[in-house]
Amino acid sequence: MEASSLQVNSPVCCGRIALRDKTLVKIKPFIGSHPSRRTNLCSKFTQSCSWYKYSVIAGFSRQIIASSDFSRRRRYKVSTPRANDSAPKGFKPKLNSPRKDQKPIEGKEGPNPSISTEVVNPTLKESKTEVKVEKVPEFSQRAENVNIDVLDAISVSGSQKSKLEAITNGDNQIEKLSSGNDDDAKYDDDDDDDDDEEEEEEEEASRMLKLEMEAKLLKQKVEEQERIIKQKMEDEEKLRKQKMEEELRKKEMEAKLRIQELKSIATETLVKGEKIFYYPKIVTPDQDIEIFLNRTVSSLYEASEILIMGAFNDWRYKSFTVKLEKTNFGMDWWSCRIHVPKEACKINFVFFNGKDLYENNEMKDFCIDVEGGMDVYEFEELMLEEKRRELERLAKEEYEREKQAEEQRRIEEEKAASEADRLQAKNEAERRRGILEEQLQKAVKFDDNVCYIEPSEFKEEDMVRLYYNKGVGPLANAKDVWIHGGYNNWKDGLSIVEKLEKLEGKVGDWWYANVVVPNRSLVLDWVFADGPPQHSTMYDNNNRKDFHAIVPISIPRDLFWAEEEHEIYKKLQTERRIREEEIRAKAEKTARMKAETKERTMKTFLLSQKNIVYTDPLEVQAGGLVTVLYNPANTVLNGKPEVWFRCSFNRWTHRMGLLPPQKMLPADNGTHVKTSVKVPLDAYVMDFVFSEKETDDGVFDNKNGMDYHLPVSGGIAKEPPMHIVHISVEMAPIAKVGGLGDVVTSLSRAVQDLNHNVDIILPKYDCLNLSNVKDLGFHKSYSWGGTEIKVWFGKVEGLSVYFLEPQNGLFWKGCIYGCNNDGERFGFFCHAALEFLLQSGFHPDVIHCHDWSSAPVAWLFKENYTHYGLSKARIVFTIHNLEFGAPLIGKAMQYADKATTVSPTYSREVSGNPVIAPHLYKFHGILNGIDPDIWDPFNDKFLPVSYTSENVVEGKKAAKEALQQRVGLKRADLPLIGIITRLTHQKGIHLIKHAIWRALDRGSQVVLLGSAPDPRIQNDFVNLASQLHSTHHDRARLCLTYDEPLSHLIYAASDFILVPSIFEPCGLTQLTAMRYGSIPIVRKTGGLYDTVFDVEHDKERAQSQGLVPNGFNFEGADAAGVDYAVNRAISAWYESRDWFNTLCKVVMEQDWSWNRPALDYLELYHAARK
């Protein structure tokens, strides 16, 4: 019998399982996966068979052919049938296990770790252990049988075969088989040791049998579980099919019922004579609905194709177009399905044939209400929010486009500037070359007995020695000798300075100096002097031709001048870019300061009525909640038991209309009452009044007919622009006599900056300063008043101006005022201006006329043009000075819709005047302002040093020194009082004279700029100027003329500006002074009182206006009043310079521009239109 023994790489737990005889067996476990919940059923078996666990977990089975060898236990003799070979009985082949570190022989494959070690029988061919791994499809595959088969290829004894069959078949006669058959097994030795070994083998066989039985039981349990699961799945599948069938039957039933219902509704619809119906009958948001159209009764009865076109919420939301299909329940009904969005409150639609034939419900469109959806206001908020996002997106895109366009402009400008620099560099290089060549040709050869250079051959950057014979020139008696030199015709000025040393041992008075030849030198230039620069008195300059020496070894001339041109080009580029950066930085700073000033002014504006009303937050934001706090104690509602708040938006025109009245509740501060309001996203202004009752009767606080209005920020809607036309006989700077011209220009610019449209109509005087008119050209001509009137158009300070030039010569007088027929001239102009508006098709919202000169506009408009095409306009009339033309002013007050004067105090001062008193209900005082672009110390070209509040001390010091030098005053650190005025009695000329002497007595300097229209007053001041020149020539100067640049310098240089007017409707001088950091000294009258708050007496009054004290004022129109103010001002300058400098900074930061007055005028314009 052939015998072979193979060692198997098997799990350790199987190492002790063996049959009775050491027989080669084939073990073929094929175990599939099973559900994890069954694992506990085979735990006992799997704990002892780790390979089973791994095979199940890994998802594959193993077919193992193995040789079992138990020779590692205690040895015993076994009697086996002799084989045909010559091997002795009981021969056991020697195991041949490879070492772990054994390497494969080159050219041969190494041992496979998954295959058991080979065992070689000396008398047989090699036997190999095979381990086959077969992939199992899935874990759900049920467990297969565990088969243990005896290898057919090996012959075994009958008893051994029987035992194996008994194990496989579960035969219960294992004991009998275990006892063996004497014919099949014989022992060579009957000692006790062999018996023990046999018993051990039987025990091993019993254990193996037990394991096999457990495996069989496990298999049965697994099969049972799988059967149960299979049955359960079959039951579930059956139940699912039943449910599906039931649902299908239900849907079929519902479909039938639906068709029946639709047929019923369709019939009812036709009976009613209607063309459409929809399903379901109640439409709710976020659902699908069907819309049905009866083609037969519609205008589309012949159409082969029908479409529905619609949208939601009055055609404002999510449009749609859907094709209709013919229904299956007859009667020519067509239908489509649409989805109703959750934002819908109604559906609007029409039908059409895809071309030009429509069914639109007799021009009324079809509409379906959506129940339970958004209400109108909620939808409006939604649409506004979407619009806000869209506007933000558009603004971002516009910003990017502007940014790209700006970058493109910058590139183009840089390219053009670079070309200009290159051309300039070329011209400059050619100019220098010509000069240098000419200089060299004209250069006088100096005598070697006077001067020479060693070595004679040298180049740039060489050290040379220059010799000079002092004794033969004008420096013969000089103690020292210096060379002052340069190169290339003194290109870089003085660049060589050396002291010469005495040369010993040579005939003559020779001196020398070692000099380095400058880089890029073509020629050296020099003179000799008796001292260094700034300290020499005598020169030897070669008879005024200087000394010159050509550099013998230098670069080629053409190359030199090419490089020189390039150097000039680079220098020009650097200088230009530095200038551009300075301009850009200055412009950015100016814009930032203007924005900061405007922001502060708006805050002051919102707080200006805090004693009556204010909001929290102070700045009203669209889409937010705002609380309004009101103090009735300071209004007509004082003492009323209740206060009601009535509000709307956008000048009372908002889509929401007037909000329901709200009863105001006590606020925490104990003085105010409050209420809160939600501000819509499309609001740009908030409008409100207060009342004592919820009803419309009773007492109202409506701010004297103006109503309360607060701007709203961050909204998606912008205020529609108004069109304002000014009809005036003055306009700065082209036709300016007094403050009227300044107001017309500055107010118009400020209103235009607030996004409104402004035009100005002005006479075309033959004395106009046309240099300040851009793009002046002929516009049109028309006839009126028996003459042709030519109309010219141009831009002045960015404003559109129409110049009327009647061909009758009324304005060809060489002056603005001063003609005997001024009333006739300006009356004709007013009528012609209105005729121009009518014939040109203008429809302004407001016509603004000024003073007596354009007062006729008010009644001419109401009497002749209100009913002839200009009915939209309202008239606003402004009184600049009531001293002139009172009758005309009175008539204009009667016809004007609103009237103003130029300060609150002046309005009170003239309120008793007979031409004003009857019209106080429409009369308002609004302060004038100054133009911050014209009066700007940071960008003023007339000042030596530009300055802001940050460097006001340095800036004013430089201006003072420049003014002292210009007018011939002593250059000293003294207080300086400036006076800039027209010399009239209104301006308090007697007080001006007294103030000049008072200031000089206190050690101050005085500068006056102004002239008098009255020759007597002019001569009086000429005499005063002569007197002051003889007595105080270094501290007083009177400039009796008009000088615009000098006025700027005086504003900047003065420490104080004196304005002692007897009356002053507004006054711009004190406002301009503060803009330049000069402290005003004024008399308490008109606009002077409204703008100047005394540092000692007006702290509370200033605080009520959101300001701090800013100057000195006095009451009386006498010397004592002037002395009181002037003495305090000069003492403060001498005794408290730090405080005074701080005050200068404070007044510069106060905003006296048109920022605030423009807002007040806009409120007035709206009130006139209301």
Side-chain angles (χ1 to χ4, degrees), residues 261-437:
E261 185 178 5
L262 290 176
K263 287 183 177 181
S264 175
I265 298 173
T267 303
E268 293 176 2
T269 303
L270 289 178
V271 171
K272 293 178 182 178
E274 296 175 351
K275 303 173 184 178
I276 71 160
F277 70 91
Y278 49 89
Y279 188 85
K281 292 183 177 181
I282 298 177
V283 179
T284 59
D286 200 17
Q287 71 166 168
D288 289 341
I289 69 167
E290 282 186 281
I291 297 177
F292 296 83
L293 168 71
N294 191 295
R295 185 180 64 169
T296 303
V297 298
S298 73
S299 59
L300 303 175
Y301 59 91
E302 293 183 344
S304 60
E305 183 179 64
I306 302 176
L307 295 90
I308 183 173
M309 179 174 64
F312 301 93
N313 302 354
D314 295 324
W315 298 92
R316 298 178 60 192
Y317 191 66
K318 289 188 177 180
S319 61
F320 59 86
T321 301
V322 181
K323 184 177 180 181
L324 278 72
E325 300 292 341
K326 190 169 184 178
T327 63
N328 58 2
F329 55 84
M331 295 183 288
D332 204 17
W333 286 97
W334 295 60
S335 73
C336 68
R337 182 180 295 271
I338 65 170
H339 179 74
V340 182
K342 62 182 180 180
E343 299 86 0
C345 58
K346 64 176 65 174
I347 310 170
N348 310 94
F349 56 94
V350 297
F351 302 94
F352 71 115
N353 66 346
K355 297 178 181 178
D356 56 357
L357 184 60
Y358 285 82
E359 170 56 63
N360 56 12
N361 194 24
E362 298 178 355
M363 304 296 291
K364 293 181 289 187
D365 297 345
F366 295 98
C367 180
I368 300 174
D369 291 327
V370 179
E371 298 187 11
M374 285 186 171
D375 60 28
V376 175
Y377 292 117
E378 289 175 333
F379 175 71
E380 289 290 345
E381 291 296 318
L382 172 69
M383 296 298 292
L384 292 174
E385 181 61 29
E386 288 190 357
K387 185 177 180 180
R388 183 187 65 80
R389 288 195 294 267
E390 177 67 10
L391 291 175
E392 289 178 352
R393 183 186 64 80
L394 294 175
K396 185 177 181 180
E397 292 176 355
E398 180 66 19
Y399 170 78
E400 291 298 329
R401 285 195 295 269
E402 291 179 354
K403 185 178 179 181
Q404 293 175 3
E406 179 63 28
E407 179 64 17
Q408 185 62 34
R409 284 195 299 270
R410 188 196 66 78
I411 293 173
E412 293 174 356
E413 290 172 357
E414 174 64 24
K415 182 179 179 181
S418 180
E419 291 298 324
D421 291 341
R422 196 176 297 279
L423 179 61
Q424 184 179 350
K426 181 179 180 180
N427 295 335
E428 178 64 17
E430 291 176 353
R431 185 188 69 83
R432 292 183 184 182
R433 183 172 188 172
I435 293 174
L436 185 60
E437 296 294 340

Side-chain angles (χ1 to χ4, degrees), residues 47-163:
Q47 286 173 0
S48 62
C49 302
S50 60
W51 54 268
Y52 173 80
K53 292 187 289 183
Y54 298 149
S55 68
V56 174
I57 294 173
F60 57 83
S61 65
R62 297 181 179 87
Q63 183 176 354
I64 304 173
I65 301 173
S67 172
S68 301
D69 183 5
F70 303 96
S71 61
R72 286 173 291 183
R73 289 195 292 269
R74 188 177 62 216
R75 300 192 57 164
Y76 56 90
K77 295 181 179 180
V78 179
S79 176
T80 60
R82 181 175 297 276
N84 294 329
D85 62 10
S86 59
K89 284 185 184 180
F91 174 77
K92 295 184 180 180
K94 183 178 179 181
L95 298 177
N96 184 13
S97 300
R99 288 162 46 188
K100 291 183 178 180
D101 58 350
Q102 182 176 353
K103 298 183 179 178
I105 301 174
E106 186 176 356
K108 298 183 179 180
E109 295 182 358
N112 190 332
S114 63
I115 302 175
S116 46
T117 308
E118 297 179 358
V119 179
V120 181
N121 189 315
T123 61
L124 297 176
K125 294 181 180 180
E126 294 182 0
S127 298
K128 295 183 179 180
T129 302
E130 294 181 0
V131 178
K132 297 182 181 179
V133 181
E134 299 174 355
K135 187 70 177 178
V136 177
E138 298 291 342
F139 290 148
S140 60
Q141 179 184 357
R142 69 184 185 86
E144 300 292 344
N145 295 332
V146 179
N147 298 319
I148 305 176
D149 299 328
V150 180
L151 287 173
D152 295 334
I154 302 176
S155 297
V156 296
S157 65
S159 62
Q160 292 170 330
K161 190 172 184 178
S162 299
K163 287 183 179 181

Side-chain angles (χ1 to χ4, degrees), residues 687-707:
D687 320 296
F688 53 93
V689 297
F690 304 94
S691 65
E692 65 171 331
K693 298 180 181 180
E694 182 179 6
T695 56
D696 292 339
D697 58 336
V699 179
F700 280 76
D701 175 11
N702 60 6
K703 199 181 177 182
N704 297 321
M706 299 284 288
D707 298 342

Side-chain angles (χ1 to χ4, degrees), residues 796-812:
V796 179
E797 300 293 334
L799 297 166
S800 297
V801 183
Y802 295 91
F803 300 91
L804 305 188
E805 184 182 25
Q807 299 303 295
N808 55 18
L810 286 177
F811 298 101
W812 300 340

Side-chain angles (χ1 to χ4, degrees), residues 661-677:
Q662 299 182 46
K663 184 178 180 180
M664 304 189 75
L665 303 175
D668 296 337
N669 58 16
T671 59
H672 289 67
V673 290
K674 67 178 182 179
T675 191
S676 297
V677 179

